Amino acid sequence: MQTINFTPYKTAPSFGALKIKGTEGMQFIKKDSPNVIEKLDVIKNELSKHNYWDLMVDADGYKLAYAGTNKIYTVPFKPKKVLKDSTNPRLLIRTSNSESKKNIISFPVFYNTMDEVKAAYHDIVHSSGLERMVLIVKALEGHRH
């Protein structure tokens, strides 16, 4: 089982970026998502428009940093549909925090309809690697309340 790490920021982040840590991060992307290497400039440009989340890649894989907490969250990032409350359509992006007693942190992503929730969930779970992480960042950024 993969170890879950939780690390506070030690430097001042500039949110809204794809940050690849040197050759180690690039090697991880090449191994995990070789089909997106030629799209990295487009991905960096898309993510630069966001204000709250950074997507970081290093030798250990993908991490998300959130401006609201100044903390770094690591995989797994698992979406969960909330289907029992149709008056408040949302998707939960769940991750782990080794310092938490429950060991799960959920970031709600709000939508206008349940169909939008189902479509976002479908897109995320049927993608992988860097493309999946970009979809998660876009969901977190685009549907804040």
Side-chain angles (χ1 to χ4, degrees):
M1 183 167 180
Q2 182 175 358
T3 303
I4 307 300
N5 295 319
F6 176 81
T7 312
Y9 255 119
K10 301 218 183 297
T11 61
S14 58
F15 288 94
L18 170 62
K19 296 180 179 177
I20 301 170
K21 183 178 180 183
T23 57
E24 302 92 1
M26 281 303 295
Q27 290 300 329
F28 185 87
I29 292 173
K30 286 178 183 177
K31 180 180 175 186
D32 184 63
S33 303
N35 57 328
V36 299
I37 295 296
E38 65 277 357
K39 301 176 193 174
L40 284 179
D41 287 335
V42 172
I43 292 169
K44 286 181 183 181
N45 186 43
E46 287 177 4
L47 294 183
S48 71
K49 299 171 186 165
H50 300 308
N51 297 317
Y52 299 99
W53 291 92
D54 274 345
L55 172 55
M56 300 175 295
V57 187
D58 61 19
D60 297 326
Y62 304 110
K63 297 172 177 60
L64 290 178
Y66 178 49
T69 61
N70 285 336
K71 294 179 180 174
I72 298 173
Y73 302 91
T74 59
V75 293
F77 296 100
K78 296 181 180 180
K80 179 182 179 184
K81 298 177 282 192
V82 178
L83 299 177
K84 294 181 181 179
D85 185 4
S86 63
T87 61
N88 192 11
R90 66 194 179 279
L91 181 69
L92 299 176
I93 303 296
R94 299 174 299 166
T95 187
S96 298
N97 168 352
S98 61
E99 295 176 2
S100 170
K101 292 176 185 170
K102 292 182 181 177
N103 208 30
I104 294 175
I105 296 172
S106 293
F107 293 98
V109 180
F110 298 95
Y111 291 88
N112 295 319
T113 68
M114 291 305 265
D115 287 340
E116 290 176 0
V117 171
K118 291 175 184 177
Y121 177 84
H122 178 272
D123 290 347
I124 291 170
V125 299
H126 288 93
S127 61
S128 61
L130 186 62
E131 290 175 326
R132 179 182 180 140
M133 293 306 298
V134 168
L135 289 173
I136 288 171
V137 170
K138 286 180 177 182
L140 288 167
E141 281 281 343
H143 296 280
R144 297 180 50 82
H145 277 232

